Amino acid sequence: MGFLNKLFGNTTKEEEKMTNSKLKIGIILGSTRQGRVSPQVGEWVKGIADKRGDADYEIVDIADFKLPFLGEGTGQEPGLAAWNEKLDSLDGFVFVVQEYNHSITGALKNALDSARDAWYNKAAGIVSYGSTGGARAAEHLRGILGELKVADVRTHPTLSLFTDFENGSVFKPQDLHQTNMTAMLDEVIAWSGALKTLR
Ligand SMILES: Cc1cc2nc3c(=O)[nH]c(=O)nc-3n(C[C@H](O)[C@H](O)[C@H](O)COP(=O)(O)O)c2cc1C
């Protein structure tokens, strides 16, 4: 039947799912503290991404899920199931990463640890910020993503707390980041589409 469908140009349901549906990309906010700047950065990423029209982009805020600290809850918390369902529904990610003590936040690490299969065979881009563009945190994240079978793309916009924020709190990105943002999103879309064929 598959052969006949191919011969006459018919597509199977599975093939339709692969070709017709838009990729779903989650923009994950890595910080949860009161007064955090990550929502401003996330909105900026989404604004640029939405203009492309090549995928459905949504902000995924770890804080909304009220995740228990790994192993300390019952495992039955609704947020934990919701977190896994949300990740399951996504084809790729853009991590908004902030540098805390030369690494990622505890909240992001806990959220990464709180799912397993839902991460596998997907792609991710990283946008980071900090005094040195959040580079050290981003490099730590890359190591973790390798273990979770998430393919992290090369291009990595790095935002400076000194030149892209006013007083470290009001986000005013320099125009130069647009080029890297476009290249990063191009790579995330290409790899997310390619990896969908593995799942
Ligand atoms: C606990 C903590 C540790 C930090 N350590 C670093 C650091 O090592 N390097 C750095 O560049 N910025 C560091 N910062 C500054 C943060 O990058 C900055 O406050 C940033 O706005 C945090 O992101 P958020 O506002 O989304 O929480 C640290 C901030 C906190 C709260």
Side-chain angles (χ1 to χ4, degrees), residues 32-174:
T32 54
R33 72 175 180 96
Q34 302 259 335
R36 64 195 170 149
V37 300
S38 55
Q40 296 177 58
V41 180
E43 287 298 339
W44 173 74
V45 171
K46 185 164 169 18
I48 294 170
D50 280 344
K51 285 200 192 105
R52 301 163 57 92
D54 55 358
D56 290 331
Y57 296 91
E58 65 174 291
I59 291 185
V60 179
D61 189 350
I62 293 171
D64 289 342
F65 295 84
K66 307 270 178 285
L67 291 172
F69 197 63
L70 185 75
E72 292 193 352
T74 60
Q76 304 303 313
E77 289 81 1
L80 194 55
W83 175 242
N84 276 265
E85 276 161 32
K86 175 54 70 185
L87 297 180
D88 250 337
S89 75
L90 298 167
D91 299 302
F93 315 100
V94 174
F95 287 94
V96 174
V97 172
Q98 41 297 120
E99 188 168 303
Y100 280 22
N101 295 320
H102 288 202
S103 190
I104 60 172
T105 64
L108 177 56
K109 182 63 166 64
N110 189 51
L112 288 158
D113 292 344
S114 296
R116 193 113 193 123
D117 296 24
W119 292 115
Y120 286 177
N121 295 317
K122 295 178 180 176
I126 299 171
V127 179
S128 65
Y129 52 88
S131 58
T132 55
R136 293 165 293 215
E139 291 305 311
H140 278 189
L141 177 58
R142 288 186 189 279
I144 298 163
L145 294 180
E147 175 59 14
L148 291 172
K149 301 194 208 180
V150 175
D152 48 311
V153 304
R154 182 180 69 180
T155 306
H156 164 201
T158 52
L159 306 162
S160 165
L161 283 178
F162 304 117
T163 52
D164 294 305
F165 292 83
E166 270 177 17
N167 303 320
S169 59
V170 180
F171 187 44
K172 296 254 170 88
Q174 295 183 80

